[in-house]
Amino acid sequence: IAGITQAPTSQILAAGRRMTLRCTQDMRHNAMYWYRQDLGLGLRLIHYSNTAGTTGKGEVPDGYSVSRANTDDFPLTLASAVPSQTSVYFCASSGELGNEQFFGPGTRLTVL
Amino acid sequence: DAKTTQPPSMDCAEGRAANLPCNHSTISGNEYVYWYRQIHSQGPQYIIHGLKNNETNEMASLIITEDRKSSTLILPHATLRDTAVYYCIVRAGGTSYGKLTFGQGTILTVHP
């Protein structure tokens, strides 16, 4: 692994199903983030984690949950997917607060 | 975080310098100017950031006006691979988390 990876690359999901998007980084970064990107709205922060064991809400957290059991992994869970959660999801990490963020390749999620 | 204003689109000939402007007239003293870009279907990529001094790295130069109300990102010799959406972001230092607020950005098209 080099950098930050996300899985799956894309997914089509029925409404009401549970889904976990995976994010892993091998840079030993303390901070990790989840964004969603929608046409006309840019990237919006969903949840973040400053360090392992802590998480916080971004600007659009409703319908999503995260956990940070260790430094490397930061999964994003949709407990009961809805069509408005159709989006491209990007995970990012940064070594220190204020430093540049490194982004993963994204997960394209479609909820029908 | 301060709001930024960027032109929606710009063109540049390959091999020429691309100068991308950004207005941030409400920037405050502890806010940094960050530039990211997003090539189609990829995650955003960090380019450069600065507080008040001009900055240069292997990718670009950042020129910040003395009053800090505007800045210019310079790609000295644009290539076709520099075609992307460029985001100018203003973010306070020392925030509790490294949230980046992405606006609409500037679509830069580099043509042969």
Side-chain angles (χ1 to χ4, degrees):
Chain A
I1 297 177
I4 185 164
T5 60
Q6 294 183 235
T9 302
S10 64
Q11 181 75 45
I12 298 173
L13 188 68
R17 298 296 295 270
R18 180 184 180 90
M19 176 72 191
T20 295
L21 307 185
R22 299 185 297 280
C23 175
T24 299
Q25 52 100 1
D26 65 354
M27 298 175 282
R28 308 303 296 171
H29 283 171
N30 285 325
M32 297 187 74
Y33 316 84
W34 273 106
Y35 294 85
R36 61 177 289 175
Q37 186 171 32
D38 304 289
L39 275 175
L41 294 176
L43 282 91
R44 294 179 291 169
L45 183 67
I46 305 171
H47 284 288
Y48 67 94
S49 169
N50 286 345
T51 188
T54 68
T55 63
K57 294 181 179 180
E59 57 183 307
V60 289
D62 294 342
Y64 305 94
S65 63
V66 292
S67 61
R68 188 87 185 275
N70 58 60
T71 297
D72 298 344
D73 302 300
F74 191 44
L76 176 75
T77 297
L78 290 67
S80 178
V82 295
S84 61
Q85 292 177 311
T86 293
S87 187
V88 181
Y89 291 85
F90 289 102
C91 180
S93 69
S94 64
E96 300 290 339
L97 291 177
N99 283 9
E100 62 267 31
Q101 293 183 18
F102 294 84
F103 284 79
T107 293
R108 184 175 297 275
L109 180 68
T110 302
V111 182
L112 301 176
Chain B
D1 295 334
K3 178 181 171 61
T4 62
T5 303
Q6 299 177 250
S9 64
M10 294 183 66
D11 288 338
C12 179
E14 189 177 20
R16 303 298 294 271
N19 298 290
L20 291 92
C22 179
N23 286 320
H24 31 79
S25 58
T26 61
I27 194 170
S28 59
N30 69 337
E31 289 181 316
Y32 290 75
V33 180
Y34 282 78
W35 283 85
Y36 282 76
R37 72 180 182 184
Q38 187 172 23
I39 297 169
H40 181 63
S41 298
Q42 298 181 21
Q45 177 189 23
Y46 165 82
I47 302 172
I48 198 167
H49 76 283
L51 183 62
K52 53 185 175 182
N53 296 322
N54 297 338
E55 302 287 344
T56 296
N57 63 21
E58 65 278 4
M59 289 183 67
S61 295
L62 174 61
I63 308 298
I64 302 174
T65 58
E66 191 168 347
D67 63 8
R68 304 208 320 121
K69 293 184 177 182
S70 66
S71 60
T72 301
L73 178 74
I74 301 172
L75 307 179
H77 306 286
T79 71
L80 299 179
R81 289 177 296 178
D82 291 321
T83 292
V85 181
Y86 286 77
Y87 297 98
C88 170
I89 299 164
V90 172
R91 191 187 68 79
T95 52
S96 60
Y97 59 93
K99 173 191 169 186
L100 296 174
T101 301
F102 288 80
Q104 298 304 305
T106 296
I107 300 171
L108 174 68
T109 302
V110 181
H111 52 85

